[in-house]
Amino acid sequence: MTVVVEDIATALGQDPPAPGTTQYDQWTMWINDASMLINAEATRRGVDPTALDPTVVDYVTREAVVAQVRRPDDATSVEIAVDDGREARRYSSSRGRVAILPEWWELLFPTAPKSGKAYAVDTVAQRAVVHADVCSANQYANVPYWYAGFCTCGADIAGYPLYETEGS
């Protein structure tokens, strides 16, 4: 299925413009522009454009054109005054051309989920920890951890005794 002017009108909740009118031709051109952008990005990524999910392509095309119809130019405010009549329109940010949002690109070309944690580098080296003989970790080694499993010599930080050394 390809997007047609009637799909854009349905998405906007209005009647489609009559064929041959400037608005009809404009919407058709914007549909073609969105399709061209998708095909160009697929080619750039080395993906066959015909291999893309047609439902997703139609959705992205339709949404890009609907956004363009709602905000056709990059003007932030337009005011028209004729005699005593006045009309003012305010547009939110627009690029002034058909644009495809990053989340739509992600729908078209999904990337593998990132597998990582907050810290990718382990900040604690994995090595054997040797506690000083007078360290509380050695004194209560056979007692459950919740009772006295803390270290007083600093070996849990450095891997060797920092504070309590033999003979001190």
Side-chain angles (χ1 to χ4, degrees):
M1 179 181 158
T2 57
V3 178
V4 293
V5 170
E6 288 75 16
D7 297 329
I8 304 303
T10 301
L12 290 167
Q14 65 186 43
D15 292 330
T21 63
T22 303
Q23 187 178 28
Y24 186 92
D25 293 342
Q26 191 177 41
W27 289 13
T28 303
M29 180 183 65
W30 288 340
I31 291 168
N32 294 335
D33 289 350
S35 296
M36 181 268 311
L37 290 172
I38 292 169
N39 290 338
E41 183 64 18
T43 303
R44 189 185 74 76
R45 292 181 185 226
V47 175
D48 180 14
T50 60
L52 296 174
D53 182 354
T55 306
V56 175
V57 172
D58 287 349
Y59 170 79
V60 171
T61 302
R62 186 177 60 249
E63 291 302 312
V65 173
V66 166
Q68 178 65 16
V69 170
R70 287 184 178 146
R71 295 182 305 270
D73 58 29
D74 55 358
T76 55
S77 179
V78 176
E79 189 170 323
I80 299 171
V82 177
D83 294 332
D84 291 338
R86 230 180 159 99
E87 182 178 342
R89 290 200 174 200
R90 201 174 285 275
Y91 296 104
S92 57
S93 178
S94 172
R95 294 177 185 240
R97 59 184 166 79
V98 174
I100 297 176
L101 299 177
E103 57 265 24
W104 297 337
W105 286 125
E106 186 63 30
L107 280 174
L108 288 164
F109 306 101
T111 57
K114 298 190 189 313
S115 62
K117 298 178 182 172
Y119 298 99
V121 178
D122 189 4
T123 57
V124 179
Q126 300 296 322
R127 60 179 172 243
V129 177
V130 179
H131 294 277
D133 290 338
V134 294
C135 180
S136 63
N138 284 339
Q139 291 177 355
Y140 301 105
N142 294 328
V143 180
Y145 177 76
W146 56 266
Y147 180 70
F150 55 89
C151 172
T152 57
C153 71
D156 60 345
I157 299 170
Y160 55 88
L162 289 175
Y163 309 119
E164 298 173 349
T165 59
E166 308 302 324
S168 56

